[in-house]
Amino acid sequence: MAAINAEGLYKVFGKRPKRGVAELERGKTREDLQKQGLTAAVIDASFTVDPGEIFVVMGLSGSGKSTLIRMINGLFEPTAGTVTIADQLITDVSPEKLRAVRREKISMVFQHFALLPHRTVGENAAYGLQIQGLNKADREKAANKALDEVGLGGWGGHLPGQLSGGMQQRVGLARALAAGTDIMLMDEAFSALDPLIRRGMQDQLIELQQRLEKTILFITHDLNEAMRLGDRIAMMRDGRIEQIGTAEQILNEPKNNYVASFIQDVDRTRVLTAANVMEPAQGVIGAGSGPQTAHKVMREGQHNWILVQNRDRTPAGILWEPDVAEAVRTGRKDLPWSPVHEMPTVAQDTSLADLFAVSAQHLNPIVVLDENGRTVGVIPRVTLLAAAANNGQGADMPESWGSPDSPLNDGESMADSATPDVPHVMEGAK
Amino acid sequence: MDFPRIPIGDWVATGIDWLTINADFFFDFLSTIMKFLVEGLSDVLIAVPWPVMVLVLAALGWVLRSVRFAALSLVGFLLIVGMNQWDNAMLTLSMVLIATLLAVIVAIPLGIAAAQSDSVSAAVKPILDFMQTMPAFVYLIPAVTFFSIGVVPGLFSTIIFALPPGVRMTELGIRGVAEETVEAGQAFGAKRSEILFGIQLPLAVPTIMAGINQVIMLALSMAVIAGIVGADGLGKEVVSSISTLNLAKGVEAGLSVVFLAIFLDRFTGALGDKKARGKSSLLALARKARSSEPVTAA
């Protein structure tokens, strides 16, 4: 059962908006509609949010994300399409039924907090419950509990105006939590806050979500925020959803140039984790082997280092080629651990940024472990640097250079400049 | 070239005459109520000995504003007494208060309706413009034909003249509430009435109070003009001093209007705008005393 399901949502502003939907379906663009005085805010948006998921809709201003979120709780009526909340259709229902869904199923957190300045923090937090018709004692209890959850215990008697911006938004969060709904809509909820406070609020939201298992639909224009919070992200542009996927999918497989250009500025080191960049260890030997075996594996595989593993697949250490060669020459029986053999190990969800710190302190490759301490992969320094530099598209070749379609290129000149012989030359040199 | 004479004035006069004859019972009914209200209030205000009244008004000024305002009000009121205009001032005050009360009773619901519906707003706006720009004296003519002379036609034209800012500022105040705050009410499933009374009206209070302040000031200016049709009070004094070219009397009545106007303006200004309240207002002092206790306890 999906918590939120949106099917083919359209929102067109202007006179006779249905006409706009028909034209968009026939392939007209947003600009065509603009000429007729119609504004297409959301075009054919479909997505599903699973229970307990943080689903982020990310887009710049004017991309239609605020309109989209307002259709999910019926503040705007979609021009076409349907919205289903917990298997209950909320488009085309009576206002009374819609209000009931809002009271019981969905709460909302607003960009500029939208608190009532004439009511105390406690009364604000209890607002949803007051609308639900709960008696005063019960709703005060629930509001105080919600204020405790967001770290504002004891502030219930103050007025919102006496609180800082970050604290006011935590009141907004407490109001949504106190309402007791499974779904929370968050409209640019942290965008009006200072960066440092925003960071703290993001951490708090993730922590709350893990504890309370709310379903959260989060709107933001900040890609880093989207990547930090979102289990899945929908990238929006000009009213359309361009791509839906996890942060890694969007970073590594951008669907089109727009998404790709967007993620250029993302701090990849904070989004990608060890699991995303690790590779299988090329050379592996058992911990019971001697220097001869190690030397053989290295020579055959052309490795300059190999991983030594215990029987239960926990890592035992790293061997380097010069040390192994020395051990073979001197006839040592035990494995020659290198002076840099302190082997750094990390968990799979360690971020790239944290891997750099580890890598800076150790010459050896980083070994990635699963929750049972078993080896799942390794990250040599070179791999780490490449992952941070990768723009997700692979190397772009300048296509116009020496294109075969160019009329100037006849077969002969191609043969002159091409380099198929080079490997042969190298072979001959051996 | 002769452009045909369009007898709009005649048409209106005919209509008013028709109303006077056919809606006689209605105007009598209105007249009785308005007369009862104004005369009842003025009787009370005059019956109270002036030293008591002066002290009460000054004390109210202290409660809402400051010691300084109370002291200046005291001086102003004593000057009115000294100019022998106290009873006239009380008559005018009662007319202003009743006119304001009735205007607000009409204006606030109308303003709310205009804020909730664009079509109501569009319909009300030109009527308000008409009411405000029509020279105030013109209202007196039909008022006299409806109610004959005295305090009632004065009150009637005062209400019409003073009404518009009450409607406008109510609409403005409600529409000025941040959209997000209203959305917050909707998002939690509040009904329209819950949003109106729980969010929009409370947040519009400062603007609505500024509107009521305007209503009072317009009512005072019109109450003076209403002296022409025989409404008792400072206005009648001014009118009679014009007809007899009695400068001394005119100055005294005029100054009394000024003192009353300043008092009413500053007083009602402090009702809606908490910032206008001085540090020495009794309300501010009381709040300070109350809030300082829990702080020391905590």
Side-chain angles (χ1 to χ4, degrees):
Chain A
M1 186 181 80
I4 303 172
N5 185 43
E7 276 297 326
L9 280 183
Y10 282 84
K11 183 69 189 177
V12 179
F13 293 104
K15 280 185 182 164
R16 293 184 37 230
K18 296 260 186 210
R19 180 177 49 125
V21 172
E23 298 208 5
L24 285 166
E25 278 169 347
R26 254 184 276 126
K28 288 266 176 73
T29 65
R30 216 182 183 212
E31 287 70 32
D32 294 334
L33 258 67
Q34 197 77 53
K35 282 176 206 143
Q36 304 176 32
L38 292 174
T39 308
V42 174
I43 303 166
D44 196 17
S46 300
F47 61 90
T48 300
V49 184
D50 296 324
E53 185 183 27
I54 301 186
F55 187 88
V56 178
V57 177
M58 140 84 212
L60 299 180
S61 60
S63 62
K65 57 192 191 303
S66 284
T67 310
L68 183 65
I69 200 175
R70 278 163 175 72
M71 286 196 282
I72 299 302
N73 67 350
L75 287 179
F76 288 166
E77 194 188 337
T79 315
T82 57
V83 176
T84 316
I85 301 292
D87 282 347
Q88 189 177 357
L89 197 69
I90 68 148
T91 35
D92 285 327
V93 298
S94 68
E96 182 41 54
K97 200 156 181 204
L98 189 56
R99 279 198 294 272
V101 170
R102 290 174 187 161
R103 281 196 300 268
E104 291 150 21
K105 298 261 163 49
I106 323 173
S107 49
M108 191 161 173
V109 182
F110 294 85
Q111 180 174 10
H112 301 290
F113 325 140
L115 301 175
L116 304 180
H118 61 292
R119 299 199 189 182
T120 64
V121 166
E123 286 165 348
N124 266 290
Y127 183 75
L129 298 171
Q130 187 197 338
I131 296 299
Q132 288 170 21
L134 204 66
N135 68 58
K136 193 162 185 199
D138 283 351
R139 67 179 191 240
E140 260 174 22
K141 218 169 102 189
N144 284 334
K145 188 164 163 264
L147 286 172
D148 283 342
E149 297 269 18
V150 300
L152 281 181
W155 286 89
H158 288 69
L159 286 173
Q162 296 168 304
L163 271 54
S164 70
M167 289 166 84
Q168 289 191 34
Q169 190 56 303
R170 280 193 265 159
V171 179
L173 201 54
R175 176 171 64 180
L177 288 176
T181 58
D182 291 336
I183 302 172
M184 279 168 53
L185 306 181
M186 304 187 71
D187 179 20
E188 298 257 12
F190 303 150
S191 300
L193 304 175
D194 294 336
L196 266 180
I197 295 170
R198 194 185 311 164
R199 192 72 193 266
M201 292 289 286
Q202 291 165 354
D203 290 339
Q204 191 170 28
L205 182 69
I206 292 171
E207 190 262 327
L208 276 173
Q209 197 268 349
Q210 281 171 353
R211 198 147 42 86
L212 305 174
E213 295 188 336
K214 300 275 181 191
T215 306
I216 297 173
L217 178 59
F218 195 101
I219 299 279
T220 183
H221 65 262
D222 176 353
L223 189 56
N224 281 314
E225 183 169 76
M227 299 262 169
R228 244 172 93 74
L229 292 177
D231 292 321
R232 284 188 303 146
I233 300 164
M235 301 282 290
M236 254 189 119
R237 177 179 61 154
D238 292 347
R240 292 180 195 272
I241 295 181
E242 299 276 346
Q243 184 173 6
I244 297 180
T246 62
E248 290 80 16
Q249 282 170 346
I250 284 177
L251 267 185
N252 293 325
E253 306 146 33
K255 209 167 175 181
N256 54 34
N257 284 337
Y258 176 76
V259 178
S261 69
F262 224 106
I263 58 177
Q264 269 180 354
D265 295 335
V266 172
D267 187 352
R268 300 171 59 86
T269 62
R270 301 211 170 274
V271 177
L272 294 178
T273 62
N276 297 132
V277 299
M278 68 186 182
E279 53 191 44
Q282 294 299 321
V284 181
I285 61 168
S289 319
Q292 292 290 347
T293 320
H295 193 246
K296 183 167 173 286
V297 169
M298 281 180 163
R299 212 178 47 220
E300 283 171 0
Q302 300 272 318
H303 308 305
N304 56 0
W305 60 270
I306 53 171
L307 177 68
V308 185
Q309 250 178 14
N310 296 317
R311 271 177 183 278
D312 57 359
R313 286 182 46 220
T314 55
I318 301 276
L319 295 177
W320 287 88
E321 200 262 344
D323 299 325
V324 173
E326 175 76 16
V328 170
R329 215 176 45 231
T330 57
R332 263 173 79 164
K333 293 286 174 255
D334 58 334
L335 289 170
W337 304 118
S338 66
V340 289
H341 85 277
E342 314 92 355
M343 179 185 52
T345 59
V346 296
Q348 293 182 77
D349 60 357
T350 312
S351 75
L352 235 57
D354 294 336
L355 290 181
F356 279 117
V358 176
S359 182
Q361 290 161 16
H362 301 280
L363 277 173
N364 282 334
I366 299 169
V367 179
V368 186
L369 306 178
D370 65 10
E371 52 273 27
N372 298 321
R374 289 192 294 248
T375 312
V376 286
V378 293
I379 307 174
R381 283 182 153 189
V382 180
T383 308
L384 185 58
L385 289 173
N390 183 5
N391 65 5
Q393 288 274 69
D396 279 339
M397 296 304 280
E399 284 176 13
S400 60
W401 195 259
S403 155
D405 297 336
S406 165
L408 286 175
N409 277 340
D410 53 25
E412 276 178 331
S413 64
M414 284 283 283
D416 282 345
S417 61
T419 55
D421 293 336
V422 172
H424 293 285
V425 172
M426 285 179 76
E427 234 170 48
K430 268 182 191 170
Chain B
M1 196 175 77
D2 276 350
F3 190 78
R5 170 82 167 92
I6 306 171
I8 291 182
D10 289 346
W11 295 339
V12 173
T14 314
I16 296 286
D17 284 348
W18 186 87
L19 272 179
T20 317
I21 296 159
N22 292 286
D24 192 32
F25 65 96
F26 176 66
F27 292 120
D28 280 351
F29 172 69
L30 279 187
S31 178
T32 315
I33 291 179
M34 291 199 273
K35 200 166 178 175
F36 171 77
L37 287 172
V38 175
E39 291 184 348
L41 183 60
S42 60
D43 284 351
V44 172
L45 291 180
I46 291 172
V48 178
W50 66 261
V52 176
M53 202 66 207
V54 167
L55 284 175
V56 166
L57 290 177
L60 280 176
W62 189 11
V63 167
L64 269 185
R65 227 179 148 88
S66 63
V67 183
R68 187 163 149 267
F69 177 61
L72 289 174
S73 308
L74 197 66
V75 172
F77 288 132
L78 288 177
L79 280 172
I80 295 178
V81 173
M83 293 185 292
N84 212 6
Q85 295 291 348
W86 182 253
D87 284 1
N88 284 328
M90 288 302 103
L91 287 169
T92 299
L93 181 63
S94 59
M95 199 164 115
V96 168
L97 290 180
I98 297 297
T100 304
L101 179 72
L102 294 177
V104 165
I105 287 174
V106 177
I108 288 184
L110 204 57
I112 290 171
Q116 304 266 324
S117 147
D118 286 345
S119 48
V120 172
S121 175
V124 162
K125 209 169 199 172
I127 300 176
L128 294 181
D129 291 340
F130 175 89
M131 286 162 73
Q132 257 186 325
T133 48
M134 193 70 162
F137 295 95
V138 178
Y139 293 127
L140 292 173
I141 308 166
V144 169
T145 61
F146 289 152
F147 303 110
S148 82
I149 60 164
V151 71
V152 175
L155 187 66
F156 177 79
S157 40
T158 302
I159 290 170
I160 292 189
F161 185 68
L163 192 68
V167 182
R168 280 192 218 278
M169 298 294 261
T170 303
E171 181 183 353
L172 185 72
I174 291 176
R175 285 188 186 259
V177 174
E179 197 183 354
E180 226 184 29
T181 315
V182 176
E183 272 185 345
Q186 292 170 336
F188 284 94
K191 290 201 272 293
R192 221 169 157 182
S193 59
E194 287 170 325
I195 291 172
L196 178 65
F197 291 109
I199 298 176
Q200 290 174 310
L201 274 180
L203 296 188
V205 161
T207 317
I208 295 176
M209 288 311 295
I212 292 178
N213 174 267
Q214 288 293 300
V215 170
I216 290 180
M217 299 318 288
L218 284 180
L220 184 61
S221 73
M222 191 63 196
V224 172
I225 294 170
I228 296 174
V229 292
D232 289 329
L234 294 170
K236 207 173 179 183
E237 290 293 293
V238 173
V239 171
S240 79
S241 62
I242 292 171
S243 56
T244 57
L245 281 179
N246 185 338
L247 178 62
K249 194 171 160 190
V251 167
E252 287 182 351
L255 275 179
S256 300
V257 171
V258 170
F259 292 144
L260 197 57
I262 292 176
F263 176 79
L264 286 174
D265 179 54
R266 300 293 188 274
F267 184 78
T268 54
L271 273 181
D273 184 7
K274 285 185 184 139
K275 273 173 242 150
R277 284 180 198 158
K279 279 181 199 143
S280 61
S281 89
L282 283 181
L283 276 182
L285 291 175
R287 190 167 302 122
K288 207 169 160 190
R290 229 182 305 139
S291 66
S292 69
E293 277 162 25
V295 168
T296 47

